[in-house]
Amino acid sequence: MQKISSGTSSAIREIFQADKVLLGMIHCPSFPGSPRYKDQSVDSIYDACMRDADALIGGGLDGLVIENHGDIPFSKPEDIGHETAAFMSVVTDRIKTATGVPLGINVLANAPIPALAIALAGAASFIRVNQWANAYVANEGFMEGRAGEALRYRSLLRAEHIKVFADSHVKHGAHAITADRTIPEQTRDLAFFDADVIIATGQRTGNAATLEEIDEVRSATDLPLMVGSGVTRENIGDILSRTNGVIVASSLKVGGVWWNPVDPERVKAFMDAARPALGRD
């Protein structure tokens, strides 16, 4: 089966100076302008993000992905307000200044243009994009890949150093539009449209990608591969044996629920399970 790669260098190694990495999620609380925002002070929002960042990086993770997950229900890219980028830029800058670790930005839903602006303003290293090529039916409705638009904007910003981490067969949606194309074929499309890292996911937040699906994605590209959903201390060894790393969120939160704060004890248990697979002391 032919593999496609958009380049010869590894974005994971370039960003993290490692071949396998563990990334935590900063699920930002609801920002002003979103339906679930209830007049919390802006400082309380920033403080919540900082506490999670401190717990994750203090526990030994290699980097973070910052996401506006509290802005449920998510808007389509063209309807996202400028305030979202403004607040996320401040969060990113504060976390970068405090931790110094590599950061990624994901603006929901599927909004690489503001994500690139935030990443450049806050010195983040990459963006995550849920639908980079092709199209699918998401919770928000019809969602198109925006690779052409995003890469032209990145070029305009002279921000080619900001890498693209793109989901393959992304969660929270139906893929009937591309049902005649296999997961490996869809993965090749991401590489063909110059993604730098591929992410395999499950069906929803906290749901794990199966090892079979991970292997399908792996078969299609030589690009670095990560798993971005459903990672736990129980499955981290099997996942890391097949991939270049994970983005872990819900299993590190109090009670294993994504909207709760990070639980340092869960972080410790996760890191204890992950270190043997990473080859770290």
Side-chain angles (χ1 to χ4, degrees):
M1 185 177 294
Q2 182 188 15
K3 292 186 177 183
I4 293 179
S5 174
S6 64
T8 57
S9 63
S10 166
I12 296 292
R13 172 149 288 281
E14 181 178 336
I15 294 170
F16 298 95
Q17 289 76 57
D19 294 317
K20 291 182 184 288
V21 295
L22 308 175
L23 307 184
M25 286 295 306
I26 302 298
H27 287 141
C28 298
S30 304
F31 290 124
S34 66
R36 295 190 184 184
Y37 174 69
K38 303 299 181 186
D39 296 323
Q40 301 94 326
S41 71
V42 172
D43 282 340
S44 72
I45 294 173
Y46 297 150
D47 289 346
C49 295
M50 290 303 304
R51 283 193 297 270
D52 280 356
D54 289 342
L56 292 166
I57 299 307
L61 276 77
D62 301 297
L64 302 168
V65 181
I66 299 168
E67 183 178 83
N68 60 321
H69 211 318
D71 288 349
I72 295 173
F74 306 121
S75 296
K76 286 190 172 184
E78 60 271 18
D79 297 324
I80 294 172
H82 301 300
E83 67 279 357
T84 300
F87 288 116
M88 289 187 71
S89 293
V90 174
V91 170
T92 303
D93 177 70
R94 292 192 181 192
I95 292 176
K96 183 69 176 182
T97 299
T99 68
V101 301
L103 304 177
I105 306 297
N106 189 20
V107 180
L108 300 169
N110 206 53
I113 300 299
L116 283 165
I118 295 162
L120 185 59
S125 301
F126 64 94
I127 63 171
R128 180 180 180 178
V129 186
N130 302 120
Q131 189 70 21
W132 183 243
N134 296 312
Y136 79 123
V137 180
N139 298 149
E140 299 80 22
F142 184 71
M143 199 67 73
E144 294 183 83
R146 307 178 76 89
E149 177 187 9
L151 290 180
R152 283 165 175 79
Y153 184 65
R154 187 178 69 172
S155 180
L156 178 69
L157 295 179
R158 300 294 188 266
E160 286 84 357
H161 60 283
I162 298 173
K163 305 302 184 183
V164 175
F165 289 32
D167 288 21
S168 178
H169 209 243
V170 62
K171 60 189 174 182
H172 289 295
H175 297 270
I177 297 169
T178 53
D180 60 333
R181 310 191 70 249
T182 64
I183 291 175
E185 286 170 340
Q186 294 180 52
T187 301
R188 292 188 195 98
D189 291 340
L190 301 176
F192 184 58
F193 272 18
D194 288 343
D196 299 292
V197 174
I198 308 300
I199 301 172
T201 73
Q203 291 296 312
R204 67 193 62 83
T205 298
N207 177 249
T210 66
L211 297 180
E212 291 76 16
E213 182 164 338
I214 294 169
D215 290 341
E216 279 193 275
V217 175
R218 175 77 287 167
S219 73
T221 181
D222 289 322
L223 288 173
L225 172 62
M226 302 189 74
V227 169
S229 181
V231 180
T232 68
R233 65 181 181 181
E234 289 79 19
N235 63 20
I236 184 63
D238 286 337
I239 290 174
L240 284 179
S241 71
R242 291 166 160 81
T243 69
N244 299 96
V246 300
I247 302 171
V248 57
S250 299
S251 68
L252 304 186
K253 302 294 190 72
V254 172
V257 180
W258 71 261
W259 58 78
N260 283 339
V262 171
D263 183 342
E265 291 302 315
R266 282 178 172 259
V267 175
K268 182 181 183 303
F270 178 79
M271 290 302 301
D272 288 344
R275 284 191 184 96
L278 291 169
R280 302 179 188 176
D281 295 331

